[in-house]
Amino acid sequence: MNAPDEDQNPRPGERITEAEHAVMEVLWDRPRQTAAEVCEDVCATRGWSLATVKTLLSRLVQKGALEAEPDGRRFLYTPLIAREDYVGGESRRLVERLFGGSAVSLVAHLAETEALNDDDLAEIEALLKALRS
């Protein structure tokens, strides 16, 4: 069994790719699945084969993101990283890499490029008010 890092993300330099993330989403929704079960959820929509899913699962085990538990002739895969922890770490890296660590710069960029609508802005205002209370 691979132990997760302290910040609940893959080992340094071992980023989860977009394809691996799709597999993680399936396992976050329903842990302890076989490769065939994961394939049922993603293969048709992504045009993948069972072999592709097995490769992605193997990479995620090597990265410390999943545990592979033997179950007869197959393995059951379980996330070692919580979705919330992964999203938090990726969000911090995004803000650091693209906005010099400033979340304000991120929000300003989204507002300036019209990526935020009035409903989004209202939700952000409500969140800020709640955080101040």
Side-chain angles (χ1 to χ4, degrees), residues 108-128:
H109 171 75
L110 292 172
E112 290 169 2
T113 60
E114 299 179 16
L116 298 175
N117 61 33
D118 288 339
D119 290 339
D120 294 330
L121 293 172
E123 283 187 50
I124 291 170
E125 288 172 356
L127 175 63
L128 292 173

Side-chain angles (χ1 to χ4, degrees), residues 47-65:
W48 293 347
S49 67
L50 179 58
T52 299
V53 170
K54 286 182 177 181
T55 297
L56 294 169
L57 289 166
S58 176
R59 288 179 187 167
L60 287 163
V61 168
Q62 290 173 349
K63 291 179 179 185

Side-chain angles (χ1 to χ4, degrees), residues 18-23 25 41-49 52 56:
E18 186 273 330
E20 292 165 346
H21 183 258
V23 169
E25 285 293 339
D41 282 349
V42 297
C43 286
T45 58
R46 293 191 171 253
W48 293 347
S49 67
T52 299
L56 294 169

Side-chain angles (χ1 to χ4, degrees), residues 69-132:
E69 175 188 340
D71 183 45
R73 294 182 54 179
R74 61 188 190 168
F75 289 93
L76 295 175
Y77 296 92
T78 303
L80 293 174
I81 302 167
R83 177 188 277 134
E84 297 77 20
D85 294 330
Y86 176 74
V87 169
E90 286 298 299
S91 297
R92 285 189 299 277
R93 276 190 280 283
L94 172 78
V95 170
E96 185 61 40
R97 189 176 75 245
L98 298 180
F99 299 97
S102 170
V104 171
S105 295
L106 167 64
V107 173
H109 171 75
L110 292 172
E112 290 169 2
T113 60
E114 299 179 16
L116 298 175
N117 61 33
D118 288 339
D119 290 339
D120 294 330
L121 293 172
E123 283 187 50
I124 291 170
E125 288 172 356
L127 175 63
L128 292 173
K129 286 179 185 175
L131 290 171
R132 287 187 178 156

